[in-house]
Amino acid sequence: MALPLSGRGAGRRQILGLALGASVVPALATAAARAAPAAVPAAVPPATLGRRVAEVAAAQIGVPYAWGGGDRLGASIGFCDEENGYLDGQCLGEHTVGFDCSGLALHCWYRASDGAVDLAHYTVAQHHRSAPVARPELLPGDLLFFSRPDAPLHHVGVYAGDGAMIHAERTGTLVARLPGVFDEPRWAAEFAGARRPLPLG
């Protein structure tokens, strides 16, 4: 059954994410489970793993934003859909190797965990594959999620410690470190919670 398009249009990645999140494609999940790498050894404390995630994220600072870009291996070519990937009417996504917000998060966690944490390339799915973390308990590497009434869970960033976030914000920008994310009016108002990804298993 075809999914209806909203008035603003629905991106290919959004539709795929909804399908995956709703388990519409159980065959893919089964195949992924068979190919899943070993879980993170219990001896690796969350703080150590989180620091690795934050270090991988810091190494991406300066990489261009590309809508749909980023995978397990790193930056990749993006694309444009009905509403994303454009700057001043020009499709940059199809000509840019880089990360979008969820592509950055999935790459950092996959690489830092040696493949034990394999997140989907979709912010909502990443939210569901992680455990909630209270702000006083935040560790570097935790994921920060952002929402607004017209765009629930529209953005994710990697917590870098000391109140900072590393993120890929939008077309035309570079991956950047944002200090004082909870003090910055826009991001503080849209903050929807922090979560820590869970290994497969």
Side-chain angles (χ1 to χ4, degrees):
M1 183 174 79
L3 294 172
L5 295 179
S6 69
R8 297 177 60 206
R12 290 177 288 177
R13 189 164 55 104
Q14 291 172 313
I15 292 172
L16 176 60
L18 290 171
L20 290 173
S23 300
V24 174
V25 285
L28 290 177
T30 303
R34 283 196 302 265
V40 175
V44 180
T48 301
L49 177 57
R51 279 194 299 274
R52 292 179 190 167
V53 173
E55 288 168 2
V56 174
Q60 313 315 311
I61 291 173
V63 174
Y65 180 100
W67 170 256
D71 58 25
R72 296 167 177 168
L73 300 178
S76 65
I77 194 78
F79 63 87
C80 296
D81 65 11
E82 291 88 348
E83 32 180 85
N84 299 291
Y86 299 90
L87 182 66
D88 298 329
Q90 299 289 321
C91 174
L92 294 188
E94 294 176 356
H95 309 286
T96 304
V97 173
F99 293 101
D100 66 7
C101 65
S102 57
L104 177 66
L106 82 84
H107 170 68
C108 295
W109 270 93
Y110 187 84
R111 182 169 171 194
S113 70
D114 293 324
V117 179
D118 192 6
L119 298 172
H121 196 156
Y122 182 54
T123 302
V124 174
Q126 292 181 357
H127 186 270
H128 292 323
R129 264 285 314 282
S130 52
V133 179
R135 269 185 58 180
E137 307 300 322
L138 273 173
L139 294 173
D142 289 341
L143 298 181
L144 306 180
F145 290 89
F146 300 87
S147 182
R148 29 175 223 268
D150 66 318
L153 292 178
H154 68 90
H155 190 64
V156 60
V158 177
Y159 185 63
D162 298 322
M165 172 177 75
I166 297 171
H167 69 146
E169 184 176 355
R170 66 181 185 277
T171 301
T173 67
L174 306 176
V175 174
R177 184 180 189 276
L178 175 65
V181 62
F182 301 115
D183 299 321
E184 203 280 327
R186 177 205 168 174
W187 297 111
E190 296 183 8
F191 181 62
R195 299 181 76 91
R196 189 168 297 152
L198 303 170
L200 293 168

